[in-house]
Amino acid sequence: MNYIKLVNKYINDIQSYLIKNSRILGYPSRIVIDSTNYCQLKCPLCPTPENMKKQEFSKLKYTNFKKICDEIGKYLYKVTFFNWGEPLLNEELPDCIKEATKHGIRSHVCTNLNTYSYELLEKLVCSGLYKLTIAIDGTTQEIYEKYRVNGNLQKVLNGIDLINEIKSKKGLEYPILVWQFIVMKHNEFQIEEAKKMADERNMKFRIKAVALDESDESLIEEWYPSDRNYQRKAYSETGRPYIDRCIELWNLPVIDCRGNLSPCAYFSKTNYSEYNVFLDGFKKAWNSPQMVMSRKAVKNKKFINNDIPCCTCEYKYSKKSFTEFVKAIKRRGSSGLGIKSIWGNKKHKKWQEYVKRKNVYERYN
């Protein structure tokens, strides 16, 4: 099974960094799939609140996710269960994670943790979930709710305590808990306090730069932190964009909860590909005419098609790079499938052994 994942990853790396072919051979090693298209918070810089006015509330069904696992599960090492919606609003999420675990696929969920029940958290902990990232951009309610509008900081902290309690009670090491802190003008003075609070709760701490339209001076004035180390703009002012190479069209499919495939995680609109992953199969959707033209647009900066959003993306051009290819096949990061670790890196192997040792499926049931 590891060799199948490994060979597939190298085939994908060759296409992602060297060939840049428009039609993909093989399968991706990781995918992003939204658990739902709805969120109970109203974060000012997020497009989800506006998008919710234009679409029905939908959730990822376990039966649909199982179709993906049955088709490409043996090639995947990671699935991310979030993009534009709040994952914990989907009561079938733990079942989906359990299915991924069954196929040896590590799962990652990012949540605002404002809606939950003890039963849901217990199922999450016992599903084999590898990592749970919790978005907390402040250490006081006043600062926290300036961006996480409608959010309740104390409820979030109580939820973290419950997760730790469940892990302790059942003797489980996973999921790894991560405190994600988006640094903005109003909260940058709380970074050190946030680190301390994360450490007290046995959480890793992750700083994230705020994403916004850098051409809008009013947004920059309102949200950008004063410390340039936390500004994405600091990268672009040096002549190098924050994202200097687009490869998601080749190695990271982004699927919404209804099975629609998007060109990348930054594209929030639906119904891009004429084929649906759940109805028509993953491979057909991944090599649909729209996805093929998107890859042509990114590969060739002279390619123009007004129907393809990639043509107007500031990160459009993606040149071939042998150096980046070498880095990819040697990488010991999240994939754990580089030359130096043919059977997976220590983190992945440790998780696999944990799942087997702790009888995750029996605990879940």
Side-chain angles (χ1 to χ4, degrees):
M1 181 63 72
N2 281 293
Y3 278 120
I4 292 176
K5 292 178 187 286
L6 181 67
V7 172
N8 179 73
K9 177 185 182 295
Y10 287 166
I11 291 174
N12 187 266
D13 284 343
I14 290 172
Q15 295 172 97
S16 300
Y17 296 98
L18 298 181
I19 302 176
K20 294 290 183 184
N21 45 321
S22 300
R23 296 184 63 84
I24 304 295
L25 301 175
Y27 296 90
S29 296
R30 52 190 181 140
I31 62 171
V32 170
I33 185 164
D34 232 341
S35 178
T36 179
N37 63 353
Y38 185 86
C39 184
Q40 74 280 52
L41 303 190
K42 309 294 181 184
C43 303
L45 298 175
C46 180
T48 298
E50 191 63 30
N51 289 340
M52 289 191 304
K53 301 175 183 178
K54 309 171 186 176
Q55 57 193 16
E56 289 185 19
F57 178 31
S58 301
K59 301 177 184 179
L60 172 65
K61 295 183 180 299
Y62 164 73
T63 51
N64 285 330
F65 180 71
K66 189 176 185 302
K67 290 179 183 178
I68 294 179
C69 286
D70 290 342
E71 182 180 357
I72 65 174
K74 63 182 178 180
Y75 304 108
L76 299 175
Y77 67 80
K78 181 181 179 181
V79 57
T80 299
F81 283 104
F82 64 93
N83 192 25
W84 295 110
E86 166 50 41
L88 299 195
L89 295 178
N90 186 348
E91 64 279 357
E92 293 189 46
L93 175 62
D95 294 326
C96 295
I97 296 172
K98 181 187 174 185
E99 184 67 22
T101 303
K102 177 182 175 182
H103 285 80
I105 307 167
R106 289 190 339 217
S107 299
H108 180 201
V109 170
C110 183
T111 173
N112 59 53
L113 202 60
N114 271 264
T115 302
Y116 58 82
S117 64
Y118 185 90
E119 180 183 12
L120 177 63
L121 295 182
E122 186 176 39
K123 285 185 175 182
L124 276 179
V125 171
C126 296
S127 66
L129 177 63
Y130 177 75
K131 183 187 295 184
L132 181 64
T133 296
I134 303 166
I136 316 173
D137 317 307
T139 60
T140 61
Q141 179 63 27
E142 179 185 6
I143 296 300
Y144 171 78
E145 68 182 355
K146 180 173 176 58
Y147 187 71
R148 301 290 167 179
V149 179
N150 296 338
N152 186 316
L153 177 60
Q154 190 55 55
K155 185 171 184 178
V156 175
L157 298 177
N158 291 343
I160 295 171
D161 292 340
L162 273 179
I163 294 171
N164 280 323
E165 177 185 312
I166 294 169
K167 289 172 63 177
S168 178
K169 182 178 179 181
K170 295 182 176 294
L172 300 177
E173 305 166 44
Y174 295 89
I176 296 170
L177 299 182
V178 179
W179 180 312
Q180 176 185 281
F181 192 98
I182 298 180
V183 183
M184 293 168 277
K185 178 175 290 187
H186 68 282
N187 69 2
E188 57 184 317
F189 72 97
Q190 291 189 337
I191 292 176
E192 293 305 316
E193 179 64 21
K195 288 180 180 179
K196 180 180 178 182
M197 292 174 67
D199 186 61
E200 292 171 349
R201 291 166 175 78
N202 298 314
M203 303 176 72
K204 294 186 176 182
F205 187 78
R206 176 180 180 245
I207 284 179
K208 183 178 179 181
V210 62
L212 48 73
D213 182 357
E214 293 183 354
S215 65
D216 191 327
E217 291 296 331
S218 63
L219 291 180
I220 291 177
E221 176 64 27
E222 182 176 4
W223 297 103
Y224 251 7
S226 59
D227 190 333
R228 289 175 56 81
N229 291 318
Y230 303 127
Q231 295 180 5
R232 293 192 178 197
K233 186 178 180 182
Y235 289 87
S236 58
E237 286 180 344
T238 63
R240 179 172 65 86
Y242 185 75
I243 301 174
D244 61 359
R245 181 174 289 105
C246 175
I247 58 173
E248 290 189 2
L249 283 164
W250 283 268
N251 68 13
L252 185 59
V254 179
I255 309 166
D256 74 9
C257 56
R258 291 176 291 187
N260 299 307
L261 193 63
S262 298
C264 74
Y266 290 90
F267 188 77
S268 60
K269 298 180 181 179
T270 59
N271 299 323
Y272 179 71
S273 171
E274 68 178 84
Y275 298 117
N276 184 282
V277 173
F278 302 150
L279 300 177
D280 304 302
F282 172 82
K283 196 61 177 290
K284 193 171 184 178
W286 206 28
N287 279 325
S288 70
Q290 292 80 9
M291 296 299 290
V292 168
M293 285 191 288
S294 291
R295 295 185 187 106
K296 289 181 178 179
V298 171
K299 180 180 178 180
N300 182 1
K301 57 184 177 182
K302 295 182 180 180
F303 182 91
I304 301 296
N305 186 322
N306 293 330
D307 295 326
I308 304 300
C310 300
C311 288
T312 58
C313 178
E314 63 179 308
Y315 309 123
K316 170 188 171 182
Y317 186 50
S318 184
K319 62 182 179 180
K320 301 175 184 179
S321 173
F322 182 77
T323 301
E324 292 297 322
F325 167 69
V326 172
K327 289 181 180 178
I329 63 173
K330 287 185 176 181
R331 188 171 296 127
R332 296 177 63 95
S334 58
S335 71
L337 295 173
I339 288 176
K340 296 181 180 179
S341 50
I342 199 166
W343 289 106
N345 65 13
K346 292 181 180 179
K347 290 181 180 179
H348 189 76
K349 187 174 182 179
K350 180 181 177 182
W351 172 77
Q352 289 179 314
E353 292 174 346
Y354 153 83
V355 169
K356 184 177 181 180
R357 184 177 72 253
K358 293 295 184 177
N359 298 318
V360 166
Y361 308 123
E362 293 181 14
R363 290 175 181 270
Y364 183 88
N365 294 330

